[in-house]
Amino acid sequence: MYRIYLCTGPHCSARGCARVRDALDAALWELRVGGVELLTSGCQDHCDHGPNLLIHPGATRYAGLTVERTREIVCEHLRDGRPVEEWVATPEMRRGAR
Ligand code: FES
């Protein structure tokens, strides 16, 4: 069971998190990926790198999400269990620099 937290704070909202949420919902449905709870969160303190998505277990954070990237994250990470390393936040991003 994955719990995924999409930031809907003000900066991520301005960068299109609503479209990302719709794309995540659609990909989960279309690909019939179960065992995923899509939740929203307030600011995750990584505002300069949003939209941000945090996936548990594993505490994997994706930064700079786009609609186009969501489908691959759903396929590879949430369905197949392999994080998409290309889009995982770098250590600098994890420190919460704004
Ligand atoms: S608003 Fe999303 S990390 Fe701050």
Side-chain angles (χ1 to χ4, degrees):
M1 172 68 155
Y2 286 106
R3 284 201 169 88
I4 64 176
Y5 298 87
L6 178 66
C7 178
T8 57
H11 294 90
C12 291
S13 291
R15 292 177 183 207
C17 71
R19 290 188 304 276
V20 169
R21 181 181 181 157
D22 290 346
L24 283 167
D25 263 339
L28 289 167
W29 172 256
E30 289 166 17
L31 297 166
R32 303 288 190 263
V33 177
V36 177
E37 187 174 11
L38 173 57
L39 304 164
T40 56
S41 77
C43 178
Q44 297 179 5
D45 204 22
H46 299 270
C47 303
D48 280 352
H49 307 290
N52 291 291
L53 179 71
L54 183 62
I55 297 182
H56 286 289
T60 302
R61 183 183 307 280
Y62 289 102
L65 277 183
T66 63
V67 167
E68 294 73 24
R69 292 177 179 182
T70 58
R71 194 173 181 90
E72 189 169 350
I73 291 168
V74 169
C75 283
E76 293 196 17
H77 192 145
L78 300 174
R79 186 187 67 190
D80 299 340
R82 294 188 315 263
V84 184
E85 297 296 338
E86 182 180 357
W87 298 318
V88 171
T90 64
E92 293 76 23
M93 294 174 180
R94 292 186 193 116
R95 281 200 292 267
R98 289 188 175 210

